[in-house]
Amino acid sequence: MSELKGAMIIGQSGGPTSVINASAYGAIKAGLDSDSITTVYGAANGIVGVLNDKLYIMDKEDPAELELLKYTPSSALGSCRYKIADPDVDDTDYKRILEIFKKYDVRYFFYNGGNDSMDTCNKISKYMKKVGYDCRVMGIPKTIDNDLFGTDHCPGFASAAKYIATSIAEVYQDSHVYDKGQVSIIEIMGRHAGWLAGAASLASVAGYPADLVYLPEVDFNMDEFLEDVSALWEKNHNVIVAVSEGIHYADGSFVSEAKTSATDGFGHAQLGGLAAMLADVVKEKLGVKVRGIELSLLQRCAAHCASQTDIDESFLAGQTAVNSAVAGETDKMVAFECSRENGYTCKTKLLNLSDVANYEKKVPVEWINERGNNVSDEFVKYALPLIQGETQMKKENGLPRFAKLAKVVAE
């Protein structure tokens, strides 16, 4: 395939993670190092930045600050939850994107995000082909939910899993202090897929298990939940429960009373308050001391507890996307293919965006016990290799030294 010369744009979208910037740095560095890429732009707040003609010139950033992106949480370029329409229904946004691409001679577009972001990437790729504009489009995966189809795991999941398992172990220590125990109910992110809640099981490797783990892959039964908590309380006088925010009853309704009419830009319900609600139920029915804990944003921005494996693989994902595009690939998402047979190994592969967009990968039901209140050893075997390695985060005065970008806006 003939060489394609031009500028590149990288954008970040959706919920942040502690390692999404490692992927951005992998892409930015590969772009800066490539002879085929003339200028590297970062889109301010994802596709919204493209539509608003607000692009940062990454070539003008201090290389040392860019390198710190590997250990900086959240989305350094800014994120968004903007859903572009089907181009066959409304092509207004696509015409604007094409206008901006032509203005800056953009021939490479990379979007770093989850399911909805891959859908956006796919739509843009198809539109550019339709109008005959030569632009290579690649998706760089990101999601702590670990629910992207076709990849062994997603960048961001491992670090969130490590934080969750660590927090469970720490809560275990705290909750066993007093002569009178307590029931600790810990709410973990995950609307439809329970990978994050399942990560609570990793604490058992250190000897500090969550007693009960509830995932949204199976229906929740309140009576059985209370039976399980009561039985464990009678036995140990201390119970730790890890519960996914998205658990639901057999009729599909969310257990959380905090479900509101509020939604994000893609129509997904905003959930929360489940731990407090279940704590109230347990206290009322069993009359024991209960504490509800909601990890909330902490589980996705805890860069201090990131997995170095996750950081390295996230960087690799961004780097692979750019190098593959320069080599001629387009309309693909970078994915991981891993083996755990004789030690852990991971390599990248490319998937068609159309095969990935809007599909969700859930925890296999065979990894959930018959009672639906915990996961099997298979889950632990799957996730444990991913959380290995300690972050090499730089610190100053005992605090993290995060990247400080100049963010020079293109004109």
Side-chain angles (χ1 to χ4, degrees):
M1 184 173 288
S2 60
E3 181 182 19
L4 180 63
K5 277 211 167 191
M8 70 169 259
I9 292 177
I10 176 170
Q12 297 173 305
S13 180
T17 80
S18 62
V19 298
I20 186 173
N21 289 326
S23 290
Y25 178 56
I28 291 166
K29 189 175 188 305
L32 293 173
D33 290 344
S34 173
D35 292 334
S36 297
I37 295 176
T38 54
T39 309
V40 178
Y41 295 110
N45 302 105
I47 198 64
V48 171
V50 178
L51 294 169
N52 292 338
D53 194 3
K54 188 176 181 181
L55 305 176
Y56 302 129
I57 307 173
M58 308 314 296
D59 305 58
K60 295 188 177 181
E61 297 289 345
D62 181 341
E65 292 297 326
L66 286 176
E67 189 170 3
L68 288 175
L69 286 174
K70 288 181 71 175
Y71 308 103
T72 299
S74 188
S75 304
L77 301 174
S79 188
C80 68
R81 292 191 184 277
Y82 182 83
K83 186 176 182 66
I84 58 176
D86 184 327
D88 294 330
V89 176
D90 183 359
D91 63 356
T92 305
D93 284 344
Y94 300 89
K95 288 179 178 178
R96 175 60 172 167
I97 292 168
L98 179 59
E99 178 186 350
I100 297 300
F101 280 12
K102 288 181 176 179
K103 176 180 177 180
Y104 296 100
D105 190 30
V106 174
R107 298 293 172 174
Y108 297 91
F109 179 72
F110 305 95
Y111 214 33
N112 191 188
N115 285 301
D116 296 317
S117 301
M118 294 306 110
D119 179 55
T120 297
C121 214
N122 189 38
K123 287 175 178 175
I124 292 173
S125 177
K126 296 293 190 292
Y127 181 81
M128 294 302 154
K129 287 181 180 178
K130 179 180 177 181
V131 298
Y133 184 78
D134 200 357
C135 182
R136 295 172 189 168
V137 179
M138 300 286 285
I140 305 172
K142 169 262 10 159
T143 177
I144 64 169
D145 292 327
N146 199 38
D147 59 354
L148 279 171
F149 176 80
T151 183
D152 179 272
H153 60 280
C154 301
F157 164 69
S159 292
K162 186 169 186 172
Y163 174 80
I164 289 164
T166 300
S167 297
I168 294 289
E170 291 170 341
V171 168
Y172 184 99
Q173 300 295 316
D174 188 278
S175 65
H176 284 75
V177 166
Y178 302 105
D179 55 339
K180 295 183 178 179
Q182 70 179 33
V183 176
S184 303
I185 301 175
I186 303 170
E187 179 180 342
I188 297 167
M189 285 181 171
R191 180 181 290 107
H192 299 300
W195 296 101
L196 286 174
S201 65
L202 295 174
S204 63
V205 176
Y208 312 116
D211 299 294
L212 300 168
V213 181
Y214 294 93
L215 280 59
E217 278 79 0
V218 295
D219 297 334
F220 181 82
N221 184 300
M222 185 66 78
D223 290 335
E224 290 185 357
F225 166 72
L226 290 170
E227 288 173 7
D228 294 341
V229 173
S230 180
L232 285 164
W233 176 262
E234 291 299 320
K235 180 181 178 181
N236 303 321
H237 285 277
N238 219 301
V239 186
I240 294 179
V241 181
V243 58
S244 171
E245 66 180 356
I247 60 169
H248 54 81
Y249 294 115
D251 65 2
S253 62
F254 289 112
V255 176
S256 172
E257 288 184 336
K259 186 183 72 169
T260 69
S261 59
T263 61
D264 63 17
F266 290 88
H268 305 312
Q270 294 179 352
L271 305 178
L274 175 64
M277 176 265 192
L278 289 176
D280 287 342
V281 173
V282 170
K283 185 175 182 179
E284 178 187 349
K285 299 293 185 181
L286 304 183
V288 300
K289 181 182 178 182
V290 191
R291 187 179 294 274
I293 302 168
E294 186 177 350
L295 297 183
S296 189
L297 301 183
L298 297 174
Q299 60 206 292
R300 74 183 195 191
C301 64
H304 67 284
C305 194
S307 153
Q308 188 62 42
T309 296
D310 196 17
I311 293 169
D312 294 341
E313 290 179 351
S314 297
F315 176 87
L316 177 63
Q319 183 184 55
T320 299
V322 173
N323 289 340
S324 297
V326 168
E329 295 286 354
T330 188
D331 203 27
K332 299 288 198 302
M333 184 193 82
V334 177
F336 294 141
E337 188 173 327
C338 305
S339 173
R340 295 166 177 78
E341 293 303 316
N342 298 304
Y344 174 73
T345 60
C346 180
K347 62 182 181 179
T348 59
K349 62 179 180 179
L350 300 179
L351 302 175
N352 293 323
L353 281 170
S354 57
D355 294 337
V356 176
N358 295 315
Y359 288 95
E360 284 185 313
K361 180 186 72 175
K362 298 186 177 184
V363 177
V365 291
E366 58 267 26
W367 289 6
I368 303 171
N369 68 11
E370 187 175 351
R371 181 72 167 180
N373 65 10
N374 218 318
V375 296
S376 69
D377 290 341
E378 286 302 311
F379 189 103
V380 175
K381 291 176 184 177
Y382 163 82
L384 189 61
L386 309 181
I387 69 169
Q388 302 306 307
E390 305 310 308
T391 174
Q392 303 302 304
M393 174 190 288
K394 182 179 179 181
K395 293 190 175 182
E396 293 180 353
N397 298 313
L399 295 170
R401 169 63 165 89
F402 296 143
K404 299 173 183 176
L405 301 183
K407 294 187 176 179
V408 178
V409 178
E411 296 179 355

